Amino acid sequence: MAPMPSPEPIPVHDAGQRATLLKIAARSIAHGLERNRPLEVDPADYPEPLREPRATFVTLELGRRLRGCIGVLEAVRPLVEDVAMHAFAAAFEDPRFAPLRPAEYPDLTLKISVLSPSEPMPFNSEADLLGQIRPGVDGLILRDRGHRGTFLPSVWEQLPDPREFLDHLKLKAGLPPGHWSDSIQILRYTTESFQGPIPASMGRP
């Protein structure tokens, strides 16, 4: 079976738009510290690329340690709203971490990943699948028998080998690393990712 074309790279937002999204993420976290809810943004106040429905993940780090990561795989709201919602959720609603404390806010690094639409990968064996995966490029979604998990392309930094990447994705989905079945589904997507510290002018919430 011939592989289907991989997702096309998504449009790259310019430096000013990326800076705007990082500022929105920072403002939403500060708003959460002050008012216990995400920042409300009006998409009409922003240029068209930031008003388009997009799926995002927002990742927070302190030093080089993960401090929260929340997102969705399918576009459900305008990009600026999605970033504001997920920045707040990453800071205060990630079940792996306690809610962010005010003292941690100035030292955060914000990472935003804007996802392309996902596409199914056709394959006839695990070896065939492994041969199609593009290290450093592909984000993967695994589905099988009620189990589901995803890894963003940034996970390749910790798991650079396709076999290791896939085995850990199975574990994340609640399956053993050696699992394989005729019903397993793999979808892939790409991301436009960028990061930055809390802007100096917003160093305190």
Side-chain angles (χ1 to χ4, degrees):
M1 181 183 298
M4 294 177 62
S6 58
E8 291 296 321
I10 57 181
V12 176
H13 298 92
D14 64 32
Q17 291 167 357
R18 290 182 172 199
T20 295
L21 292 171
L22 288 168
K23 185 173 291 187
I24 288 171
R27 287 174 58 201
S28 192
I29 296 169
H31 196 266
L33 287 167
E34 294 173 349
R35 304 189 183 184
N36 200 33
R37 62 178 184 269
L39 178 73
E40 293 184 8
V41 295
D42 183 353
D45 294 337
Y46 297 91
E48 183 177 356
L50 303 188
R51 299 197 303 264
E52 296 177 355
R54 301 305 292 265
T56 70
F57 274 75
V58 176
T59 303
L60 309 181
E61 293 185 352
L62 274 176
R64 295 187 177 181
R65 295 181 294 105
L66 180 67
R67 187 59 180 82
C69 181
I70 296 289
V72 293
L73 296 171
E74 297 180 1
V76 295
R77 60 179 66 88
L79 175 56
V80 288
E81 289 186 6
D82 212 57
V83 166
M85 292 286 293
H86 292 148
F88 173 87
F92 305 106
E93 298 177 349
D94 188 327
R96 297 170 294 180
F97 301 94
L100 189 80
R101 295 179 289 106
E104 296 175 302
Y105 173 81
D107 299 319
L108 286 176
T109 294
L110 312 174
K111 296 186 176 183
I112 297 173
S113 297
V114 185
L115 280 60
S116 72
S118 60
E119 294 186 0
M121 296 181 66
F123 47 85
N124 53 37
S125 67
E126 188 170 27
D128 182 19
L129 170 63
L130 289 169
Q132 295 183 48
I133 295 172
R134 300 172 299 174
V137 175
D138 289 333
L140 296 184
I141 303 167
L142 183 152
R143 300 173 181 162
D144 197 23
R145 301 176 181 178
H147 296 265
R148 174 170 164 153
T150 189
F151 274 160
L152 294 170
S154 58
V155 177
W156 287 106
E157 297 173 11
Q158 289 77 46
L159 303 170
D161 177 74
R163 163 66 69 181
E164 188 179 16
F165 189 93
L166 183 60
D167 284 348
H168 279 77
L169 178 56
K170 292 175 186 178
L171 288 170
K172 185 178 181 183
L175 297 164
H179 173 81
W180 191 253
S181 76
D182 292 338
S183 60
I184 196 167
Q185 295 179 303
I186 303 290
L187 300 89
R188 70 172 157 195
Y189 56 89
T190 58
T191 62
E192 176 189 354
S193 298
F194 46 97
Q195 67 183 64
I198 294 292
S201 61
M202 303 174 64
R204 293 292 170 188

